């Protein structure tokens, strides 16, 4: 960056009045955000991913056509790096970088796409492969077919792990010559509706957050065999929900001591202590999310950022290093905010 400072990038739903992708400066120490610029070059950039070198930002276009776009990172904002690329899938909700490709989880079509990344960070003209999920679940409206909601590499970098809300399962895949191939499918409780996954930093445990039931599944991860084994399913709320309760995001502290989840409707953040190298989670407390409908959460340098979609803001919380409890510290308005990534 021109000023040497860190940046946050905020996605939003342009169809709901969002500004596109927002670049904000992160204040040293406090983590406070100051909006610098906005780029509105892609429709509904609902999820973002930053390249490891910090030079390129990637965004899905969560539309019926389904696309992904690349942006050059500059001192004050972003510049489009070529045209958006169709992913041959409907409604991509998540993306990640894996083995020289951008992977997108396409909710509407229940598939995962791979788009090659060129040496300069820009994208190839088309997807090199699409892996289509199959199956369904018991929920009459939400699980009539597959709905891939999340995809990411495992900590070893050998496997791509995809989470499917419609089939109540997690799939482990390989990527060879641009094509995704299934290695193993892990069944979760019928009707649970898995949405997101986060790995513990020890590399041997993972947490799957369920949307259709407000629960979190603790799993053992075997990177050698590409196997995920559910161990326990625990509630993310201390009691029965007072109304709608749809968990949305899960994050793990870099030291592996704490896990946080966000739940829409209840509009709370839940705090867990991770014990026994991440094998066991103990609920600690819940706190208000600072807005309405927290769609995604991100931990960065001891600060938790929450994208509150319906109240149109990003709220940040300082994290107590001893208890993991978030304390609200500030917010910035971003209409229809959907996610936050930092670099």
């Amino acid at each position: 960056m021109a000023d040497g400072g860190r940046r946050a990038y905020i996605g939003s739903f342009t169809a709901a009045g969002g500004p596109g992708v927002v670049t904000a400066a992160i204040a040293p120490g406090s983590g406070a955000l100051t909006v610098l610029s906005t780029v509105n070059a892609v429709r509904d950039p609902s999820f973002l991913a930053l390249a490891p070198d910090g030079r390129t930002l990637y965004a899905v276009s969560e539309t019926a056509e389904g696309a992904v776009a690349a942006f050059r990172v500059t001192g004050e904002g972003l510049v489009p790096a070529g045209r958006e690329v169709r992913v041959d899938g409907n409604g991509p909700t998540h993306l990640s970088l894996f083995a020289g490709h951008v992977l997108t989880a396409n909710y509407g079509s229940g598939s995962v796409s791979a788009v090659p990344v060129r040496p300069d960070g820009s994208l190839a003209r088309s997807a090199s492969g699409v892996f289509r999920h199959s199956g369904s679940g018991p929920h009459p409206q939400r699980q009539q077919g597959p709905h891939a909601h999340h995809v990411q590499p495992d900590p070893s970098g050998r496997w791509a792990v995809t989470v499917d809300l419609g089939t109540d399962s997690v799939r482990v895949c390989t990527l060879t010559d641009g094509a995704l191939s299934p290695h193993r499918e892990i069944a979760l409780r019928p009707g649970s509706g898995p949405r997101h996954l986060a790995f513990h930093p020890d590399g041997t445990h993972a947490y799957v957050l369920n949307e259709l039931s407000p629960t979190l599944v603790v799993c053992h991860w075997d990177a050698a065999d590409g196997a995920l084994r559910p161990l326990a399913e625990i509630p993310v709320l201390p009691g029965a929900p007072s109304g709608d309760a749809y968990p949305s995001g899960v994050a793990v502290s870099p030291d592996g001591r704490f896990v946080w989840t966000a739940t829409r409707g209840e509009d709370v953040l839940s705090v867990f202590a991770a014990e026994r190298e991440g094998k066991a989670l103990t609920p600690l407390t819940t706190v208000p999310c600072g807005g309405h409908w927290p769609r995604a959460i991100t931990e960065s340098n001891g600060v938790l950022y929450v994208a509150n979609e319906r109240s149109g803001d990003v709220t940040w919380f300082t994290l107590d290093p001893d208890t993991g409890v978030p304390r609200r510290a500030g917010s910035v308005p971003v209409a229809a905010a959907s996610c936050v990534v930092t670099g």
Side-chain angles (χ1 to χ4, degrees):
M1 305 302 172
D3 61 359
R6 297 176 59 240
R7 298 289 185 260
Y9 304 98
I10 304 164
S12 68
F13 287 99
T14 56
V21 183
V22 174
T23 300
I26 302 175
S30 70
L33 301 181
T34 301
V35 172
L36 298 175
S37 62
T38 299
V39 58
N40 187 7
V42 176
R43 291 180 295 160
D44 292 340
S46 65
F47 209 89
L48 312 172
L50 189 65
D53 63 10
R55 297 178 179 178
T56 311
L57 184 81
Y58 301 93
V60 297
S61 176
E62 191 177 333
T63 57
E65 296 82 6
V68 64
F71 297 89
R72 304 287 184 209
V73 174
T74 70
E76 296 299 315
L78 303 168
V79 177
R83 296 182 178 180
E84 64 181 42
V85 176
R86 295 286 181 87
V87 298
D88 297 330
N90 176 281
T93 57
H94 191 263
L95 80 168
S96 61
L97 290 148
F98 177 63
H101 294 71
V102 169
L103 304 183
T104 67
N106 310 316
Y107 181 87
S109 54
S111 61
V112 177
S113 302
V115 178
V117 177
R118 294 168 171 160
D120 66 355
S122 64
L123 296 168
R125 295 183 178 180
S126 61
S128 59
V130 179
F131 170 45
R132 303 189 186 283
H133 295 180
S134 62
S136 59
H139 194 287
Q141 286 82 41
R142 301 290 305 278
Q143 295 185 313
Q144 293 181 345
H147 293 299
H149 210 305
H150 179 99
V151 60
Q152 72 173 80
D154 85 301
S156 75
R158 295 178 57 189
W159 312 98
V161 182
T162 78
V163 179
D164 195 300
L165 185 148
T167 63
D168 293 317
S169 62
V170 176
R171 290 170 174 83
V172 181
C173 302
T174 58
L175 181 66
T176 305
D177 297 328
L180 288 158
S181 300
H183 170 71
R184 179 177 277 113
E185 182 176 359
I186 299 91
L188 301 179
R189 180 174 57 81
S192 56
R195 175 185 172 95
H196 270 213
L197 178 149
F199 283 98
H200 190 274
D202 76 348
T204 63
H205 292 93
Y207 311 104
V208 181
L209 185 65
N210 292 323
E211 176 175 342
L212 300 184
S213 60
T215 59
L216 189 64
V217 182
V218 181
C219 303
H220 179 265
W221 170 248
D222 182 352
D225 195 34
L228 188 74
R229 180 167 58 91
L231 301 175
E233 184 176 351
I234 61 175
V236 299
L237 301 173
S242 58
D244 292 337
Y246 301 110
S248 57
V250 55
V252 185
S253 65
D255 61 10
R257 295 174 57 214
F258 302 105
V259 174
W260 302 277
T261 65
T263 301
R264 295 162 296 176
E266 292 286 306
D267 291 345
V268 297
L269 308 174
S270 300
V271 187
F272 301 85
E275 300 162 338
R276 298 164 58 194
E277 289 76 43
K279 183 178 181 180
L281 294 183
T282 299
L284 298 179
T285 190
T286 61
V287 300
C289 70
H292 180 33
W293 213 253
R295 185 175 178 87
I297 58 175
T298 300
E299 190 280 339
S300 180
N301 282 23
V303 177
L304 193 68
Y305 296 96
V306 182
N308 292 310
E309 180 183 353
R310 294 187 179 175
S311 55
D313 57 77
V314 172
T315 303
W316 59 91
F317 297 76
T318 57
L319 296 167
D320 188 299
D322 296 320
T323 66
V325 174
R327 183 175 63 183
R328 188 184 186 280
S331 67
V332 293
V334 177
S338 58
C339 76
V340 182
V341 299
T342 63

